Amino acid sequence: MATFFDNVQHDVLMARVGRKVRDKRLLALIGAYLRAGVLVGGTFEATEVGTPQGGPLSPLLANILLDDLDKALESRGHRFVRYADDLLILVRSHRAGERVMASVSRYLTATLKLVVNAHKSRVVKTDDCEFLGFTFRGKKRRWSERAHQDFRHRRHLLTGRSWGVSMAYRLKTLSDYVRGWMGDFGISDDYRPIPELDHWLRRRIRLCDWKQWRGVRNRIRHLLALGTRARTAIWTGMSSKSDWHLSRSLGTQTGMTNDWLKRQGLISIRDQWMKAHGDA
């Protein structure tokens, strides 16, 4: 559905809320919530349609409005899954899919007064389907390339060399984000990208530490304190190679070991994936 929360008709929604809610004060409060208006470029604009995106009540109101759709699909014997305004219906053939999509589109526009997004509404095989950030290969589920790109972009920002925060704060923020993301996408059946994600993350954190250890003497001193052999520590500290190259060198890896990074607070993506699959 095209920009669902922006196109909800208040009268259609309130008629369905009124089926269950009899308290007139509560109905008036919900109506006021819908008509509260928004600030656009510093200018107040009334909201004659739609529900506030990001508002705590909007997801509940969406489910109330679309409950009729759920019941209509159930009565027709369709297999489907819906999360807010994202809907996936499973049928046996492409022809059946075209027929069902046309029928559901008519129902949404004529009965619920919603706008169907023609670009996102498709009839495809499950192998070509993406739903809530997942793709499907037979019985296997994998996070989509778009979800993966979003993760990589965010982890890049959180490990940015120019972010002027302490390592403790960086690692705490990074851990919170990874736990949240893996809480959503850790159920992916594809383990193959996990080791590379962990490897890249460890290297980036070594790079961040290396950048903070400014100066040749300071870097050598830190490596020696972490147990790197003197010759290796001196060679690494005096090297003219790039910081990114040195973050994978013998000196930084024997000093900033995986166990040391873990003790500093670096989260393991592999551990989170194993936890999501009940193996940890």
Side-chain angles (χ1 to χ4, degrees), residues 110-168:
T111 304
L112 299 183
K113 309 299 181 184
L114 294 171
V115 180
V116 177
N117 190 324
H119 297 290
K120 292 185 177 180
S121 301
R122 301 183 301 152
V123 178
V124 296
K125 294 181 178 179
T126 52
D127 283 358
D128 299 321
C129 174
E130 180 180 334
F131 184 68
L132 300 181
F134 285 94
T135 58
F136 308 92
R137 295 295 182 271
K139 296 182 179 180
K140 300 291 185 179
R141 57 181 178 263
R142 302 175 181 177
W143 59 57
S144 68
E145 181 58 28
R146 181 170 56 180
H148 194 186
Q149 290 285 356
D150 289 344
F151 176 75
R152 284 185 286 189
H153 175 70
R154 184 62 176 168
R155 72 175 185 178
H156 190 86
L157 293 177
L158 294 176
T159 57
R161 289 170 287 178
S162 60
W163 191 21
V165 298
S166 68
M167 285 302 297

Side-chain angles (χ1 to χ4, degrees), residues 194-251:
I194 301 297
E196 186 277 331
L197 293 176
D198 262 335
H199 170 75
W200 188 92
L201 203 56
R202 289 192 295 266
R203 188 174 179 184
R204 285 284 289 190
I205 294 302
R206 288 191 181 101
L207 174 64
C208 291
D209 276 313
W210 189 250
K211 290 286 288 185
Q212 289 194 358
W213 299 345
R214 296 181 182 277
V216 173
R217 291 179 180 273
N218 194 36
R219 287 174 171 177
I220 294 173
R221 180 174 60 83
H222 274 288
L223 291 179
L224 290 173
L226 291 174
T228 302
R229 294 175 59 184
R231 184 175 180 179
T232 304
I234 294 171
W235 181 90
T236 306
M238 297 183 64
S239 176
S240 60
K241 294 182 178 180
S242 70
D243 292 333
W244 178 243
H245 177 90
L246 292 174
S247 67
R248 196 182 180 184
S249 67
L250 178 63

Side-chain angles (χ1 to χ4, degrees), residues 182 186 191 194 269-280:
M182 291 300 288
Y191 175 76
I194 301 297
I269 298 175
R270 178 185 181 276
D271 288 350
Q272 295 299 308
W273 187 89
M274 297 289 284
K275 183 178 179 180
H277 289 261
D279 297 325

Side-chain angles (χ1 to χ4, degrees), residues 243-268:
D243 292 333
W244 178 243
H245 177 90
L246 292 174
S247 67
R248 196 182 180 184
S249 67
L250 178 63
T252 55
Q253 289 189 318
T254 56
M256 294 179 275
T257 64
N258 293 354
D259 287 339
W260 182 82
L261 291 172
K262 186 175 182 179
R263 291 196 300 271
Q264 302 311 301
L266 179 60
I267 194 170
S268 167

Side-chain angles (χ1 to χ4, degrees), residues 184-198:
D184 290 335
F185 295 101
I187 60 173
S188 168
D189 294 313
D190 189 9
Y191 175 76
R192 292 173 300 174
I194 301 297
E196 186 277 331
L197 293 176
D198 262 335

